[in-house]
Structure formats: C-alpha cells, structure tokens
C-alpha cells in the first residue's frame, strides 16, 4: 500500500515538474489578457473606477446587490464633478455620461455617431427576437420606425381610448370585488400588470386576453418570461445588454423559444382571423400586415445607401415587433401605475387634490372621459411625471459608438465600438436637479419648474430618434386607468405596505421587492358615465 502511494506521489511530482512552466505561462497569459485594458482610461486622462480582473466593475451586479440601472446610477454618483466617468463592462472599457449637454449631443445632435443601442442579439440564434425594433439597427431600424410611428398619432390614440376605457371599467369592477368591499389588501404590482396586459393586447393585437380575471392566463405567463429575472434568464438578458459579443457563443435568446412559439401561435391565429373575416382594425398588427403587403408589391425595399441589403418584411418581423411592443408596453405601464398608486396611498393630500381635478375635468365633459378631458388634467400629468421621475421604468439608456467621436471641449476621443451608458435613474435622483430627490412632489412639474430645469434632466422615455415609440400610448393608457381607479376608490396603505419601497436587484425594468399591498376603499362615487 505504501509503495502504491509512493508511486502516485512520484507521478504527481513528475507531472507537476513538467507541467509547471506551462501552467505558469498560462496564468501569466490569462492575467495579462484580462487586465490588458485596465489602463485604458488612465492613458486618456479620464477619471475611472478601478476594475477587478475579468468582471471589471460588475461585481455589485453579479452578486445581485443591484440591478443594471442601479449599477450605472452608482457609477454616476461616484463621478461627481466630472462630465463623464470611465468604467469596465467585464474587460471592455465603457463610458458613463454625466453632463446633460453631452447627453444631448450623443442622443440628438451627433446621433450619426451613436445611432444604435449597445444591446444586440444574433439572428442566427434568435431570428424572431433579432427582428424587433428594440435591437434592430441601421436601415431596417429606420424603415420600421418610420412606418410604425403613425400607430401613435393623436387620431390613433383617440381611437384606442374607448378600448382603454373598457379595460379600465373591468379593472375597477375587479378592485371592488377583491378589495373595496372587504378592505382586503391586494398586491397591486401583479394586478396592474394583468390590467396593462389586457390594454396592450386589446389595442395593438385586437385580442381579448382576459388576463385581469385569470392570473394564470397565457399572456401573463409569457409576459413574465420576456424580462423576468430567473437565474438562467438573468444570464441571457445581461448578455444581450452588457456583453452582446457573447450572445452567439452562448446561444442567448432575446425572446425565449417558448415565448416565441406562443407569439407565433397567437399572432398567426389573429392574422388568419382577419384574413378570413376581412377584418381591419387599424392597429399595430394591421400596420405590420400592410407593411408586408407594401414590401411584397415592391419586391423588397431598396435602402437609400449603397451596399446595404434590401429590406424585407417576413413573418418573423410581425411576430417579433408584436412581442416587443407587448412586453415593453405592459411592463412600463404597470410599473408606472403601481408606483403612482403607492405614492397616492402614502400621500393622501396629493391623492385628494388629484381626485378633485378628475371630478372637475370629467364634469366639464358631461361625465365622460374624453381625450380632451385627459389632456386637460394638468395635475394628473404632474403626478404621472413625478412618478416617472422617481421611478423611471427603464433605468438607463445605452448606445454604441459607430465611428470615432472626439468629445467637445475635451482631448478625449470615444473610439469606435465603445459602449456608452446614460444613467437615467441616477440623473432623476440627483439633488442638483431635484432637491430632496426621494420626496414625491408633483410640483416639480409645474410649467415654471419644467422651463427652469435642463431638458435632459428628465428622460423616462429617452430622447432623440431612439426615444420610446409608444410613449404617448403608454401615458394615455396609464392616465385612463388611474382616472377610473381614483374616481371610484380611495387608495390606502395597510400594515404591510412598505415605507419606503425597496427596489429589486432582480430586474431589468424597475421593480419593487414584493408586490406592494394596498387597500382600495369604495368611495361610492360615480364621476364617470358608464
């Protein structure tokens, strides 16, 4: 036995002696490879955060202490006094922009240098997810953006209003059943997500999803999967947003395969129904179908630039665009609704003032919630704006530099391929622009206060050509649902209502830890004509 142990020990010693130089060389190579960019910002005279090997400045994110948007807000706060601050996304140098005038240049004035998001996916891995407006680039992005934007004109919004109002009536009926007559707290995050799902499916796809009444409805199930942060899904999402170079290697899907299959089925059925019954609703789905017909007639569209492939419209485009409008639409609307109702519950004076304005505005329109009535509610707009300031659904904006860009009034050049991040959450909670930023105060958005504040200090929907295409739709649906709820209920905190709300690190969009329980007290008022 001892002889056998001695032989094993000698063999290990032999292997170690022969492989040690190789192991040392490999260790040195890996060390230099993963730290090769550590001096990148120092050489350029840019203040930066010292990176850790391999993971760069992502430690708080990878340890699930913060979400991606909170991470960039923290970096923003560490760069006080600087127009920008360098950081590292894994081993890749990146820049977090702090100066508002520089942000304006990047997203508007010098858009040609930063015309795409850093977020990306791969069509060979995810042919449907790669064809949505959020990640599409270049001429295809311009083409789809131009042809889908008319879905959100004033005329279209007026047409959507009755459908939104129907969904709002269903929401108030549901709240009365489950909370108002029993004083039982309800978790508003899930309820508002289900209500917003009904709005978005009805208005954009012409589908009555019945998600509010059925918490296990398929649209709710797959809606959770699009941006939900399970452990495995977190790697996919972070790959797309922070390390797009790994997407193809890791076979990451922007839309999971089962989610894609679900949307292929429901969109395909909706398209077939419209064809069979000669139905035209004038919604997003119709726009996509008409766009495909236009392109087919012209045998594809020739871009206005040479050496660029012709633009086609396939089934994957229709499914991909429908899925991303659905996912982003219900998420942002439900987030804004949830946090607004929470703030109304813990700020009863603001709630009472808003309810008075709603009553007055509706009365002027003969008891009907018209488009004019909604637009005339200035305090409602101030309240929603303050919610979007304190709780912006999308916490940061991302861009990638497409050609070397010399920063104005600086010797620094952003090199091609460098990711640039705009920390919306950090700017929205900067006391330089919003004194006592954690206080909820709609007065920040009076006309005088808005004029006195820099424009780019507020950007919950982004700015410039890449701003949120559905911004007006989202605002209108949020306001319609809020008006209906506050017309009939007083929103109250309960024993388990958090003060303040704890923000979750497990989310791409802003989310709370827990669902925020609130009570809805029936006030016996029927301001709105039913």
């Amino acid at each position: 036995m001892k002889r056998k142990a001695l032989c094993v020990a000698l063999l290990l010693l032999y292997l170690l002696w022969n492989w040690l130089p190789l192991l040392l060389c490999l260790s040195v190579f890996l060390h230099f490879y993963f730290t090769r960019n550590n001096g990148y910002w120092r050489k350029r005279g840019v203040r930066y955060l010292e990176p850790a090997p391999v993971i760069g400045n992502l430690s708080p994110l990878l340890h699930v202490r913060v979400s991606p948007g909170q991470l960039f807000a923290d970096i923003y706060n560490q760069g006080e006094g600087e127009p920008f601050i360098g950081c590292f996304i894994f081993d890749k140098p990146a820049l977090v922009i702090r100066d508002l005038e520089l942000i304006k240049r990047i997203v508007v004035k010098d858009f040609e240098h930063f015309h795409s998001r850093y977020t990306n996916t791969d069509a060979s891995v995810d042919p449907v997810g790669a064809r949505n407006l959020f990640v599409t680039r270049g001429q295809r992005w311009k083409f789809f953006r131009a042809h889908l934007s008319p879905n959100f004109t004033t005329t279209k919004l007026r047409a959507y209003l009755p459908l939104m109002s129907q969904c709002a009536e269903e929401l108030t009926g549901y709240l009365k059943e489950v909370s108002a007559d029993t004083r039982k707290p309800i978790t508003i995050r899930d309820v508002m997500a289900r209500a917003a799902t009904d709005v978005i499916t009805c208005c954009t796809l012409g589908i009555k999803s019945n998600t509010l009444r059925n918490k296990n409805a398929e649209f709710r199930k797959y809606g959770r999967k699009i941006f939900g942060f399970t452990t495995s899904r977190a790697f996919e999402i972070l790959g797309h947003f922070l390390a797009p170079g790994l997407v193809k290697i890791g076979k990451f899907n922007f839309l999971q395969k089962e989610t894609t299959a679900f949307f292929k089925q429901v969109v395909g059925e909706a398209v077939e129904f419209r064809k069979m019954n000669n139905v035209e609703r004038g919604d997003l789905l119709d726009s996509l179908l008409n766009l495909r017909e236009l392109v087919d007639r012209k045998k594809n569209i020739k871009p206005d630039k040479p050496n660029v492939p012709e633009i086609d419209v396939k089934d994957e485009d229709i499914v991909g665009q429908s899925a991303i409008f659905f996912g982003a639409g219900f998420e942002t609307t439900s987030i804004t609704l949830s946090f607004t109702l929470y703030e109304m519950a813990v700020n009863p004076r603001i709630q009472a003032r808003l309810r008075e304005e709603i009553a007055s505005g509706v009365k002027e329109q003969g008891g009907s919630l018209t488009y004019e009535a909604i637009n005339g509610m200035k305090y409602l707009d101030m309240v929603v704006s303050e919610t979007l300031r304190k709780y912006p659904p999308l916490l940061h904006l991302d861009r990638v530099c497409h050609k070397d860009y010399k920063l104005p009034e600086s010797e620094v050049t952003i090199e091609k391929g460098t990711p640039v991040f705009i920390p919306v959450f950090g700017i929205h909670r900067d006391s330089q622009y919003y004194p006592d930023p954690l206080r909820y105060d709609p007065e920040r958005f009076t006309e005088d206060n808005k004029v006195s504040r820099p424009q780019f200090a507020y950007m919950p929907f982004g700015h410039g050509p890449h701003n949120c295409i559905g911004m007006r739709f989202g605002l209108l649906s949020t306001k319609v649902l809020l008006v209906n709820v506050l017309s009939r209920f007083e929103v109250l905190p309960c024993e388990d209502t958090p003060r303040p709300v704890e923000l979750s690190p497990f989310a791409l969009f802003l989310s709370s830890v827990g669902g925020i329980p609130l009570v809805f007290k029936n006030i016996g008022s029927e301001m709105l004509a039913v």
Side-chain angles (χ1 to χ4, degrees):
M1 193 72 180
K2 289 182 179 179
R3 185 174 180 178
K4 185 176 181 181
L6 179 61
C7 289
V8 170
L10 289 172
L11 178 61
L12 289 174
L13 185 62
Y14 172 80
L15 292 173
L16 181 63
W17 179 258
N18 283 274
W19 285 91
L20 184 59
L22 181 60
L23 291 173
L24 287 174
C25 289
L26 181 61
S27 298
V28 171
F29 170 77
L30 290 174
H31 172 78
F32 278 102
Y33 179 80
F34 285 113
T35 60
R36 69 194 187 284
N37 288 325
N38 283 15
Y40 183 90
W41 292 120
R42 182 179 65 251
K43 293 174 184 176
R44 288 158 176 77
V46 174
R47 182 174 165 185
Y48 70 100
L49 303 185
E50 195 68 41
V54 184
I55 63 174
N57 299 119
L58 298 183
S59 177
L61 181 66
L62 298 178
H63 285 89
V64 200
R65 295 198 296 267
V66 297
S67 66
Q70 291 169 307
L71 173 72
F72 291 119
D74 290 343
I75 295 173
Y76 170 88
N77 291 331
Q78 293 180 67
E80 186 174 358
E82 299 288 340
F84 42 79
I85 179 169
C87 64
F88 294 84
I89 308 303
F90 295 108
D91 65 336
K92 188 171 185 63
L95 207 58
V96 172
I97 309 299
R98 303 187 76 260
D99 180 73
L100 300 186
E101 183 58 36
L102 183 53
I103 290 173
K104 182 178 181 179
R105 284 182 172 276
I106 287 172
V107 301
V108 180
K109 289 184 177 180
D110 298 322
F111 178 75
E112 71 273 11
H113 288 266
F114 304 91
H115 56 73
S116 297
R117 293 185 173 92
Y118 184 57
T119 306
N120 202 6
T121 189
D122 189 271
S124 65
V125 175
D126 185 10
V128 173
R131 285 180 173 254
N132 74 73
L133 198 59
F134 194 81
V135 295
T136 302
R137 296 184 171 196
Q139 292 292 306
R140 286 190 66 84
W141 171 80
K142 286 178 66 176
F143 175 77
F144 278 97
R145 174 83 186 202
H147 284 86
L148 295 180
S149 291
N151 282 282
F152 306 103
T153 61
T154 298
T155 300
K156 290 283 189 177
L157 294 177
R158 287 180 185 274
Y160 292 139
L161 183 58
L163 299 175
M164 294 177 182
S165 295
Q166 289 175 17
C167 294
E169 288 290 340
E170 293 176 6
L171 173 60
T172 55
Y174 178 82
L175 292 174
K176 185 175 181 181
E177 292 173 19
V178 300
S179 179
D181 291 342
T182 62
R183 295 296 183 90
K184 178 183 177 181
I186 66 169
T187 302
I188 61 168
R189 181 68 178 92
D190 181 59
V191 171
M192 295 305 137
R194 282 149 50 199
T197 297
D198 283 348
V199 171
I200 201 78
T201 55
C202 179
C203 292
T204 64
L205 299 175
I207 297 173
K208 190 171 178 61
S209 61
N210 296 314
T211 306
L212 179 63
R213 295 282 177 178
N214 178 12
K215 64 176 64 177
N216 297 315
E218 286 191 307
F219 270 103
R220 182 68 183 127
K221 173 185 174 181
Y222 291 103
R224 285 194 189 100
K225 289 179 177 292
I226 293 178
F227 295 115
F229 256 45
T230 61
T231 302
S232 60
R233 184 60 175 154
F235 281 106
E236 283 193 319
I237 292 176
L238 292 178
H240 287 95
F241 281 80
L242 297 179
L246 297 177
V247 167
K248 188 171 184 178
I249 298 172
K251 297 187 182 299
F252 296 156
N253 287 275
F254 193 86
L255 297 174
Q256 291 171 302
K257 290 182 179 179
E258 55 185 357
T259 304
T260 297
F262 169 71
F263 275 96
K264 279 184 177 179
Q265 178 187 339
V266 296
V267 172
E269 289 173 354
V271 170
E272 189 62 27
F273 176 83
R274 295 187 187 201
K275 286 182 179 178
M276 293 286 292
N277 297 277
N278 198 27
V279 172
E280 190 164 344
R281 295 172 53 89
D283 55 13
L284 175 70
L285 185 53
D286 271 351
S287 291
L288 289 166
L289 294 174
N290 293 336
L291 191 55
R292 180 169 65 181
E293 185 179 336
L294 169 69
V295 171
D296 287 346
R297 283 201 312 266
K298 293 186 176 182
K299 306 293 185 183
N300 296 343
I301 300 292
K302 295 190 181 216
D304 55 10
K305 289 188 177 182
N307 303 320
V308 176
E310 292 182 338
I311 296 170
D312 56 9
V313 178
K314 297 182 177 180
D315 288 346
E316 288 86 352
D317 291 290
I318 295 173
V319 175
Q321 304 296 3
S322 299
I324 198 65
F325 272 92
F326 164 76
F330 93 80
E331 277 283 3
T332 53
T333 298
S334 61
I335 289 167
T336 308
L337 280 168
S338 300
F339 283 118
T340 301
L341 290 171
Y342 166 76
E343 290 290 352
M344 294 302 98
V346 299
N347 293 285
R349 290 185 180 180
I350 295 175
Q351 182 181 170
R353 179 178 168 184
L354 178 55
R355 186 175 291 106
E356 288 177 6
E357 181 189 64
I358 291 170
S360 175
V362 170
K363 185 177 180 180
E364 289 178 6
Q365 297 294 323
S368 298
L369 186 59
T370 63
Y371 188 77
E372 288 73 20
I374 287 283
N375 283 339
M377 296 178 188
K378 301 302 181 186
Y379 195 64
L380 172 63
D381 189 69
M382 291 163 60
V383 164
V384 173
S385 295
E386 175 65 351
T387 298
L388 290 168
R389 192 277 308 173
K390 188 176 178 182
Y391 307 102
L394 192 58
L395 298 168
H396 72 278
L397 308 176
D398 62 307
R399 299 289 186 269
V400 62
C401 185
H402 286 279
K403 51 184 176 180
D404 289 358
Y405 179 76
K406 186 178 181 302
L407 292 168
E409 301 178 9
S410 169
E411 296 303 315
V412 177
T413 294
I414 302 178
E415 293 186 322
K416 179 181 178 181
T418 302
V420 171
F421 297 96
I422 298 169
V424 174
F425 188 59
I427 293 169
H428 280 199
R429 294 193 172 197
D430 190 335
S431 59
Q432 177 183 355
Y433 309 115
Y434 301 98
D436 193 7
L438 297 184
R439 180 168 57 91
Y440 187 84
D441 182 13
E443 295 298 318
R444 301 182 201 272
F445 290 90
T446 63
E447 290 302 319
D448 288 344
N449 284 336
K450 286 193 292 185
V451 169
S452 65
R453 189 168 49 241
Q455 178 188 9
F456 282 74
Y458 179 72
M459 44 186 163
F461 298 101
H463 268 299
H466 259 301
N467 73 338
C468 175
I469 189 174
M471 173 181 68
R472 297 180 67 202
F473 178 93
L475 286 172
L476 181 62
S477 59
T478 298
K479 290 176 180 180
V480 169
L481 293 170
L482 277 176
V483 166
N484 275 268
V485 170
L486 296 176
S487 296
R488 295 176 171 88
F489 307 106
E490 181 181 0
V491 189
L492 302 168
C494 64
E495 185 178 340
D496 295 326
T497 301
R499 299 195 188 190
V501 169
E502 182 182 356
L503 301 180
S504 173
F506 293 96
L508 180 64
F509 289 98
L510 188 68
S511 183
S512 61
V513 174
I516 312 180
L518 297 175
V519 170
F520 292 80
K521 176 185 175 183
N522 193 339
I523 58 177
S525 172
E526 287 295 338
M527 301 179 192
L528 301 177
V530 180

